[in-house]
Amino acid sequence: MMKIERFEVNPFQENCYIVSDETGEGIIIDCGAFYEEERRAVVEYVRDNGISLKHLISTHAHIDHNFGNNTIYEQFGLKPEVHAADEPLMGKLAEQALMFCNYRLGYEMPPVGRFLTEADTINFGTHTLSIINTPGHTPGSVFYYCKEEKVAFSGDTLFRMSIGRTDFELGSYKDIMESLKALPNKLPDDTTILPGHGPRTTMAAERQSNPYLRQ
């Protein structure tokens, strides 16, 4: 059974998730830890729980979901993994920090370890996450979906009763609406949705009440 720990981090209140199972292996999803106490809390949780980290993955290449990648690289030797379509944005994380929060990064970001496609999987312990392409918020936005646990990490594509913005660089309202339209055929109603910001929800609740999924 998966254990999921959520850390709400950085000025954008982004959700960073540490996911592990009974084998002691685990992954980090969207390490946006910005402040030193946030970075320390993530590292201490991993070490205190004896987690052997196998992957550092991002749902997309915006800076608020990647602020802490350097800490994970320095402490655990993991390079970030992100969808290939977000390669241009991943190379502009420092520019994004200046643009979005007038902050100049005082550190180097690690290189991307693997550019993902929908054909790839994320494996740790006894669990496998599949990748569902959901372009729109960014070209390479994805869901990470664990079928056996009925859990999907939605990044900034789908929030509780809302969706991600599409007015940032390379965003597309048309694409995100196409991605959302396809979701009910890919995720059962009893799937728990863990978004990049805000509280969890379910696919059933979003399909029934989210105005963007009802269009």
Side-chain angles (χ1 to χ4, degrees):
M1 183 174 180
M2 287 198 319
K3 180 179 181 181
I4 302 171
E5 188 74 13
R6 179 177 73 96
F7 296 81
E8 188 176 85
V9 296
N10 72 46
F12 300 96
Q13 297 179 300
E14 183 263 335
N15 291 329
C16 166
Y17 298 99
I18 300 180
V19 187
S20 58
D21 68 14
E22 65 280 357
T23 70
E25 294 187 353
I27 61 173
I28 298 183
I29 302 175
D30 287 347
C31 189
F34 175 72
Y35 301 108
E36 283 305 314
E37 58 268 29
E38 295 171 350
R39 296 169 184 266
R40 186 165 55 250
V42 169
V43 172
E44 288 180 352
Y45 177 84
V46 172
R47 290 185 170 155
D48 289 349
N49 287 275
I51 299 171
S52 175
L53 291 176
K54 298 302 177 183
H55 299 278
L56 167 62
I57 56 177
S58 299
T59 57
H60 63 289
H62 279 158
I63 185 61
D64 56 323
H65 292 251
N66 294 276
F67 267 125
N69 288 353
N70 68 308
T71 291
I72 304 306
Y73 179 61
E74 291 165 2
Q75 296 295 321
F76 304 106
L78 290 178
K79 297 176 182 178
E81 301 173 46
V82 67
H83 191 278
D86 268 7
E87 182 176 2
L89 291 174
M90 206 65 176
K92 294 183 176 180
L93 292 177
E95 293 178 34
Q96 291 181 43
L98 279 173
M99 182 186 307
F100 293 139
C101 48
N102 197 31
Y103 177 76
R104 189 177 300 277
L105 291 183
Y107 50 88
E108 291 291 324
M109 283 293 187
V112 174
R114 179 169 61 148
F115 285 108
L116 303 167
T117 72
E118 200 168 31
D120 292 312
T121 57
I122 304 298
N123 303 295
F124 67 97
T126 61
H127 289 83
T128 296
L129 302 184
S130 60
I131 298 170
I132 301 174
N133 291 347
T134 56
H137 181 65
T138 67
S141 288
V142 300
F143 275 46
Y144 295 108
Y145 173 47
C146 183
K147 183 178 181 180
E148 60 191 317
E149 298 278 355
K150 300 179 180 179
V151 171
F153 299 86
S154 63
D156 287 4
T157 297
L158 179 63
F159 303 131
R160 183 178 179 274
M161 301 304 150
S162 187
I163 63 171
R165 294 172 59 171
T166 58
D167 57 336
F168 297 132
E169 181 181 5
L170 301 181
S172 168
Y173 182 78
K174 176 180 178 294
D175 287 350
I176 201 171
M177 292 307 294
E178 287 296 319
S179 296
L180 294 168
K181 182 180 178 181
L183 276 181
N185 294 323
K186 297 181 178 181
L187 296 175
D189 275 357
D190 59 354
T191 304
T192 296
I193 304 295
L194 299 176
H197 303 266
R200 67 175 56 199
T201 184
T202 66
M203 196 62 221
E206 299 310 305
R207 185 178 57 79
Q208 294 166 9
S209 303
N210 189 318
Y212 295 95
L213 268 69
R214 296 180 56 150
Q215 292 185 24

